[in-house]
Amino acid sequence: MQIDVLGAVRALHDDGSPVDLGGPRHREVLARLVAAEGRMVTTDALVDDLWTDPPVRAVGALRTFVAALRRALEPDRPPRNPPRVIVTEGPGYALRLPREDVDVHRFQDTLARARRSPDAVTALGAALADWRGPAYADVTSSAWAQRERARLEELRLEGVELRARILLGSGAGADLVAELGAHVAEHPWREPAWELLARAQYRAGRQADALATLRRARAMLVDQLGLDPGADLQRLETDILNGSVPPEGTPAAWSGAGVRLGPRTTVDLARTLALAGGDALVHSRRDRLAAIQAAERTGDLALTARIIGAYDVPAIWSRADDPEQSRAVVAAAERTLTGLGPDGPADLRARLLATVAVESRSADLSGAELKHARHAARQAEELARHLADPALLAFALNGVFLHSFTRPGLAPERDRTGAEILDLATRHDLPNFAVLGRLVRLQSASALGDLDAATSHAKAVDQLAATSEAPLVPVLTGWFRARVTAARSAEPGGPTAATAAAHYRAAENALRAAGMPGLHRGLFPLALLGLRLLHGRPAPTDPHLDWGPYRLWARPLVLLAQGRDEEARAALAAVPEPPRDHVQEALWCLTARAAALLGEGGTAVRAAAALRTAGAEHAGAASGMLTLGPVARYLAEAEACAAG
C-alpha cells in the first residue's frame, strides 16, 4: 500500500494499481489523516476541517467515509478483525502506515537526511521527482489543506535549492543551469535561487551570464521591492568580477557559513509564533528543533547554545505536548553543555540548564531523569541570580516551577515562585513572564481553595493577554471559570451540575483548537468525573470518553459505576502512583475513593500517606482548570478504610 498526496490524493496497491478511494470527501479524510503524520485527529476536528458549516449528521457522515476508506484500503481484511491502516484511537482516527509508504513523509524525511549529509542527494532528487503537482491538489477549499500546501511548497523549494547546492559542491555546473533558470523564473523573489543560478553559470564557464543574472536579480529586487541584494549576492558579484569565486566546498562548510543568521532568525520567529497557540504553536516547536539541528551542524558551540536558549517561551503545564521532541531538545542542550564545559560562559550555561528543566517535563521520564532536571533548574536559578539578569532569572524560575510537583501539597511553594516571576516581569517589562506569573498564582490560589484571589489573578491575566497578544490565556481562564462554576454547584443556591458541565464543555471546545495536546487529552472526562464526585454521583460510563493519560486512575470508579466490582478491584490493584504533575492530588483522591468503596485497606494506606501533606488543598485544582473538591474529604475516607 502506498499513499500519495504530492499532487492529487491517491492510493496504490502493492502492484501499482490504483485504489478506488471514493468521492472528494473520502479523499479529504484520508489526506487530513496523512497531514497528521500518525497522530490522532479527533472526530470533532475532522468535522470542522471538512465542513465550514457542519450538517446535523456530520459525525455520521464522517464515520461512513472512514468505513468506506477502510474497505478500500484493506479489501481482504476478515470480518471483525480490527483495521490496521485507519485505526480508531480515543475520540478520533489515526493513519498507521510506515513513513516510507507515504510520499510526503518520505520527502520530508529525505530532506532532513540531505540537510545532514550530502550522500542523500540522489534520494533527494528522487523525492523531488515524486511531486506531481501542488500538495493535496484536489483538496482546494479547506483551510487546513491550504496551510499544509503552503508549508510543503516552501520545503519543496528548499529541497530544490539544497540539491543544487550539494551538486555544485561536488563539481556539477553546466547541467544545472537550465534547471535553476526555470526555478528562478518561477520564483523570482528567492535570493538563494539567483545565487545558485549565477554559481552554476560561472561553474559552466559563463562568467558574463553569471554577472548578468546577478544584475537582473539586483534590478528586480530594487525596482519591485525597494530592497538591495543581500550580502551573499553582493559578495558573489565581487568574486566573479575578480575571477576568484571560492568553491562551494562540502555541505558542512556551506551550511556552517550560511546558518549563522538563519537558525537565530528561525528560532526568534518560532518563539513569537509559539505564543500565538494553535497550529502556530505546533509548527513553531518543529521549526525551533530544525534551527537547533542546523546550529549543531556548524560545530559552533556558542551559536548552538544561543539558539537553544533563545526559545524562552513560558510554560505553565507540567507535561510536554510532544515528549519525543522535548527529549531531542534536552539531548541537544546536554551535548552543548558538555561541549562548553563547567567554565563555559555563565549566561549560556544558565539558558541551557533552564531549557533542560523546562523541556524535561514529560510524564514518562524516569525518576533519575526528573531528579537531574530539578537539579538543572536550581543550577540555572543560581547562575541567573549571580548574573543579575531578570529575564534569565524568570526563565530559570519557570523551570523551578515546573519541577515543584515532587509531592502533593506544594501550592504555597509554587505561589512564592509565581510571585517572584510576576515581580520580575512587572519591574523589568517582561510581559510574557507577567502572564506566566499570574497564571502560576491563579493555579496556586485555586489549589488552596481561595477562589476570590484566583479570580483576581484571572481578571488581571486576561487584561495582560489582551495587550500582549497571548490568545492561549483566555482558554486557560475559561477553564478556571468552569472550575469555579463546578465548585459553586455543590453549594446551596449555586448553579446546577448541568450548568457546570456545560461550562466545562465550552472550555473543552476552546482548548481543542489551542494547540496544546499535552494539556488537552483526557482533561474533560476528568473534569466531569470531579463534578460527579462533588455531587455524590458515580463516575461517567460513556464509552466514547477519551480518558487519555488518566484512564488507569479513573477505571476502577468507572467499573464500579457499571457494577463490575471484581474487575474494579483488579483495576485498582494495577493503578500506579500518579505522575508528579498538576493533577497528582486528584489522581490520588480517585485511588482513595476507589479503595474506600472496595474496602482495600492496603491501597487506602498508600493513598492516605500521599495525601496528608495536601490536606489543606483541593484535588485537581492545582491545574486551575477543574476540581474534585477538598482533599480532606478523600483523605478522611482513606484513613477510615485503612483503620478497618
Side-chain angles (χ1 to χ4, degrees):
M1 173 65 60
Q2 176 175 313
I3 293 177
D4 296 336
V5 298
L6 300 178
V9 178
R10 70 182 186 184
L12 303 173
H13 292 297
D14 286 343
D15 62 3
S17 60
V19 176
D20 183 1
L21 294 174
R25 292 295 191 193
H26 297 77
R27 293 195 299 278
E28 184 173 357
V29 170
L30 180 61
R32 181 63 184 85
L33 294 176
V34 167
E37 299 196 48
R39 295 185 297 272
M40 181 270 290
V41 185
T42 66
T43 297
D44 289 345
L46 283 166
V47 166
D48 289 343
D49 284 336
L50 261 66
W51 290 280
T52 304
D53 184 15
V56 174
R57 295 181 176 82
V59 173
L62 172 63
R63 288 173 179 156
T64 300
F65 299 151
V66 170
L69 283 169
R70 283 170 167 169
R71 288 192 298 271
L73 296 172
E74 297 184 73
D76 300 325
R77 177 167 55 89
R80 292 184 293 280
N81 277 29
R84 292 175 296 126
V85 178
I86 299 179
V87 302
T88 301
E89 183 178 301
Y93 304 100
L95 183 69
R96 291 285 182 264
L97 273 181
R99 289 182 65 83
E100 62 268 21
D101 292 343
V102 182
D103 63 350
V104 65
H105 300 163
R106 190 167 60 246
F107 166 72
Q108 291 181 96
D109 293 347
T110 303
L111 178 59
R113 287 196 300 275
R115 288 175 180 141
R116 296 191 298 269
S117 169
D119 295 338
V121 67
T122 301
L124 178 58
L128 287 166
D130 284 342
W131 283 71
R132 297 168 289 111
Y136 307 104
D138 49 347
V139 185
T140 55
S141 59
S142 295
W144 73 264
Q146 292 168 6
R147 290 192 298 270
E148 273 297 286
R149 199 153 37 239
R151 181 182 72 84
L152 291 168
E153 176 62 10
E154 181 62 29
L155 290 180
R156 186 185 73 81
L157 297 177
E158 179 190 341
V160 169
E161 291 162 8
L162 176 60
R163 174 178 171 272
R165 198 173 291 275
I166 294 173
L167 291 173
L168 281 169
S170 67
D175 51 346
L176 289 172
V177 171
E179 179 183 324
L180 287 169
H183 180 61
V184 162
E186 189 175 357
H187 306 284
W189 315 117
R190 296 181 69 87
E191 286 192 55
W194 289 100
E195 179 201 351
L196 288 165
L197 174 58
R199 285 186 179 276
Q201 290 169 327
Y202 181 85
R203 182 64 57 80
R206 296 165 54 181
Q207 181 175 341
D209 287 342
L211 288 170
T213 291
L214 293 173
R215 287 166 185 152
R216 280 169 44 221
R218 178 190 296 276
M220 187 274 301
L221 290 168
V222 172
D223 294 346
Q224 299 193 36
L225 297 180
L227 297 174
D228 289 326
D232 288 343
L233 284 182
Q234 294 183 49
R235 188 181 308 111
L236 178 59
E237 184 173 17
T238 300
D239 290 342
I240 291 174
L241 286 168
N242 294 333
S244 59
V245 177
E248 281 287 299
T250 64
W254 56 254
S255 67
V259 81
R260 293 185 181 275
L261 177 62
R264 183 60 195 239
T265 303
T266 299
V267 84
D268 284 344
L269 177 60
R271 180 180 180 276
T272 302
L273 287 174
L275 299 169
D279 286 346
L281 174 60
V282 176
H283 292 315
S284 79
R285 290 180 61 81
R286 182 177 58 211
D287 292 344
R288 176 246 189 139
L289 183 57
I292 290 172
Q293 292 166 341
E296 280 201 289
R297 290 195 295 272
T298 71
D300 186 331
L301 288 170
L303 170 68
T304 304
R306 289 195 297 272
I307 296 304
I308 294 172
Y311 193 88
D312 54 354
V313 176
I316 189 68
W317 191 242
S318 52
R319 184 181 304 112
D321 291 324
D322 188 336
E324 183 177 348
Q325 186 181 79
S326 290
R327 283 192 290 272
V329 172
V330 168
E334 296 280 17
R335 287 192 296 270
T336 308
L337 275 167
T338 300
L340 289 174
D343 297 323
D347 60 328
L348 296 184
R349 292 182 62 244
R351 285 196 170 273
L352 290 169
L353 288 163
T355 299
V356 169
V358 170
E359 294 295 334
S360 297
R361 52 197 171 102
S362 297
D364 57 352
L365 289 181
S366 69
E369 289 171 321
L370 285 172
K371 184 177 180 180
H372 173 71
R374 287 195 297 273
H375 182 59
R378 292 301 182 188
Q379 284 183 293
E381 179 190 4
E382 182 180 346
L383 285 168
R385 291 192 190 282
H386 178 72
L387 292 164
D389 183 333
L392 181 54
L393 179 56
F395 184 33
L397 288 172
N398 193 174
V400 171
F401 159 72
L402 290 169
H403 291 279
S404 60
F405 297 87
T406 53
R407 61 171 174 81
L410 292 176
E413 178 181 316
R414 290 193 291 276
D415 190 54
R416 288 191 291 273
T417 301
E420 183 172 6
I421 292 172
L422 182 58
D423 177 63
L424 284 166
T426 302
R427 287 191 291 112
H428 298 283
D429 191 25
L430 305 170
N432 295 327
F433 282 102
V435 168
L436 174 67
R438 283 290 183 191
L439 288 173
V440 170
R441 300 209 70 190
L442 181 158
Q443 290 179 339
S444 304
S446 171
L448 294 166
D450 188 347
L451 295 185
D452 290 339
T455 298
S456 175
H457 289 304
K459 290 179 179 177
V461 79
D462 277 337
Q463 291 171 351
L464 281 171
T467 58
S468 61
E469 297 183 357
L472 298 181
V473 167
V475 175
L476 301 176
T477 55
W479 269 93
F480 166 70
R481 293 185 175 91
R483 170 260 188 273
V484 173
T485 305
R488 303 292 191 213
S489 74
E491 299 173 357
T496 66
T499 298
H503 283 207
Y504 273 139
R505 171 63 76 179
E508 161 73 355
N509 289 339
L511 181 59
R512 186 182 298 116
M516 295 184 286
L519 173 59
H520 164 66
R521 192 163 178 236
L523 198 65
F524 178 61
L526 185 62
L528 287 186
L529 174 54
L531 181 61
R532 285 175 172 261
L533 293 174
L534 285 172
H535 288 269
R537 297 178 60 195
T541 57
D542 183 347
H544 299 296
L545 287 175
D546 175 18
W547 291 93
Y550 312 121
R551 183 181 66 84
L552 292 176
W553 292 271
R555 183 165 171 75
L557 291 176
V558 172
L559 292 168
L560 280 169
Q562 296 170 330
R564 298 156 65 183
D565 292 16
E566 290 311 307
E567 291 178 68
R569 198 179 306 278
L572 180 62
V575 167
E577 285 196 8
R580 295 173 180 179
D581 62 15
H582 286 71
V583 294
Q584 62 178 319
E585 291 90 350
L587 302 185
W588 273 119
C589 287
L590 296 184
T591 300
R593 169 59 60 87
L597 291 174
L598 290 165
E600 291 291 335
T603 303
V605 167
R606 286 195 301 116
L611 291 172
R612 282 192 187 97
T613 55
E617 298 189 13
H618 286 236
S623 66
M625 303 175 80
L626 59 92
T627 182
L628 278 62
V631 169
R633 182 172 65 181
Y634 299 92
L635 175 59
E637 291 178 355
E639 289 179 331
C641 178

